[in-house]
Amino acid sequence: MGNSLKSATFLIESRIADAARGDINACYDLGIVYSTGAAGVGIDLIEAHKWFNLAAVAGSEAAQQCRADIADDMTAREIAEAQRAARAFLQMTSRRAA
């Protein structure tokens, strides 16, 4: 594994850990990563929508706009899948906190 791939993997893993602790900016950053294919990941609109949705629910207006923008390029089924993934993430992180 090259150093840049290791760095990208570390960046994503650390932002996911931050998001699990409720960091809205981490959720937004992950949305950006998955919507643009940054940090060595492929573009994944379902994953991007999930992260933007989590940030938007927590109050990020920028995430609300980004979520709406990518939703235009998604099917209703993909949006539903992203919403299920967001709910599952919230349930998983709330169980850890309990």
Side-chain angles (χ1 to χ4, degrees):
M1 187 183 276
N3 284 336
S4 63
L5 186 55
K6 284 181 186 178
S7 295
T9 301
F10 175 77
L11 169 71
I12 292 168
E13 289 173 355
S14 68
R15 295 314 276 161
I16 290 171
D18 293 340
R21 288 189 290 275
D23 185 335
I24 298 169
N25 293 322
C27 294
Y28 179 80
D29 292 347
L30 287 162
I32 293 293
V33 165
Y34 285 104
S35 66
T36 63
V41 301
I43 293 174
D44 184 339
L45 295 183
I46 293 170
E47 195 69 10
H49 190 284
K50 173 183 99 174
W51 292 113
F52 285 140
N53 195 35
L54 290 165
V57 167
S60 170
E61 291 182 22
Q64 291 173 15
Q65 183 61 52
C66 291
R67 178 184 60 190
D69 289 346
I70 66 168
D72 289 341
D73 296 325
M74 298 172 71
T75 66
R77 181 169 285 152
E78 289 170 329
I79 292 169
E81 184 178 340
Q83 290 171 335
R84 280 190 300 276
R87 283 191 300 274
F89 183 80
L90 286 173
Q91 289 174 343
M92 178 188 68
T93 57
S94 68
R95 278 191 216 127
R96 275 194 221 153

